[in-house]
Amino acid sequence: MKLPDFLDDADLNTLRQKMGAKQLGEFELFDPQKQLTYSEREALEEGQFKINAAELRALKDKTLAYKNSRVWLTHEQKYHLAYCQEVQQLRHRQVDVLTGTEANSDDDLCLECLALLKYQGVDSRRVRRNEFTEHVQEEFDLVDFKKVYPFYPV
């Protein structure tokens, strides 16, 4: 059985031009500008990846992302999970921050982030009550958070 010469098919050639494929079989499997490299993933898993806050982006659900992964960040003993006002200021000032995807930080959890996400019923009114905030901070578990907001891939 002889296959037709697909190089002569006008519809396929038009499609290839629309896709921007200059040569046959040309495609880009990995884009390091948009996707994490292996070393970046390793560093994020260890919670030891330092980036400039301007490189972060806020996803539609208000969580934080670096390239194609959700991340948490720490800065000045505060642990952030969302695009709260403090993170917005860090991005605008282009400050270096420590990011990660796995281990919880020992820093204080930003309750404004949880209120912004409305995570487990947390809202800005309840955050003002000390007994509630202490309970939320003690009971917070990144594993449970990641069930609602998977970190990789985004």
Side-chain angles (χ1 to χ4, degrees):
M1 172 180 183
K2 185 174 181 184
L3 292 174
D5 187 359
F6 293 104
L7 295 175
D8 294 333
D9 190 297
D11 292 334
L12 289 176
N13 286 328
T14 303
L15 178 61
R16 189 176 78 234
Q17 286 176 345
K18 285 181 182 178
M19 292 171 51
K22 296 177 183 123
Q23 298 177 357
L24 298 177
E26 183 181 314
F27 66 96
E28 192 168 306
L29 183 62
F30 177 75
D31 183 359
Q33 297 298 319
K34 296 178 182 176
Q35 298 169 315
L36 295 174
T37 63
Y38 181 75
S39 60
E40 288 171 334
R41 280 186 52 99
E42 277 187 327
L44 282 169
E45 287 173 2
E46 294 172 8
Q48 298 297 317
F49 193 63
K50 190 176 253 186
I51 63 169
N52 188 292
E55 296 178 73
L56 292 169
R57 60 190 174 102
L59 298 176
K60 288 180 182 180
D61 62 7
K62 298 181 177 93
T63 56
L64 303 170
Y66 175 71
K67 294 187 180 183
N68 62 337
S69 179
R70 274 190 186 88
V71 295
W72 51 258
L73 72 86
T74 62
H75 182 72
E76 295 180 354
Q77 289 78 44
K78 204 143 191 200
Y79 176 62
H80 297 275
L81 296 163
Y83 195 56
C84 67
Q85 287 184 349
E86 193 172 326
V87 173
Q88 290 176 35
Q89 291 172 357
L90 293 173
R91 281 189 70 210
H92 292 297
R93 292 191 331 226
Q94 299 187 3
V95 175
D96 286 343
V97 294
L98 197 60
T99 60
T101 57
E102 293 299 322
N104 277 358
S105 170
D106 293 332
D107 295 338
D108 290 333
L109 178 62
C110 175
L111 295 173
E112 183 187 344
C113 289
L114 296 182
L116 185 65
L117 298 172
K118 295 179 177 36
Y119 182 72
Q120 293 185 344
V122 176
D123 63 25
S124 56
R125 290 174 292 143
R126 294 179 78 188
V127 166
R128 293 186 200 122
R129 295 188 2 231
N130 282 342
E131 68 277 358
F132 177 74
T133 57
E134 289 173 4
H135 175 71
V136 168
Q137 287 177 321
E138 289 171 6
E139 297 297 317
F140 179 80
D141 184 19
L142 188 62
V143 173
D144 292 336
F145 183 83
K146 288 169 75 171
K147 289 177 184 173
V148 179
Y149 299 99
F151 275 36
Y152 183 82
V154 183

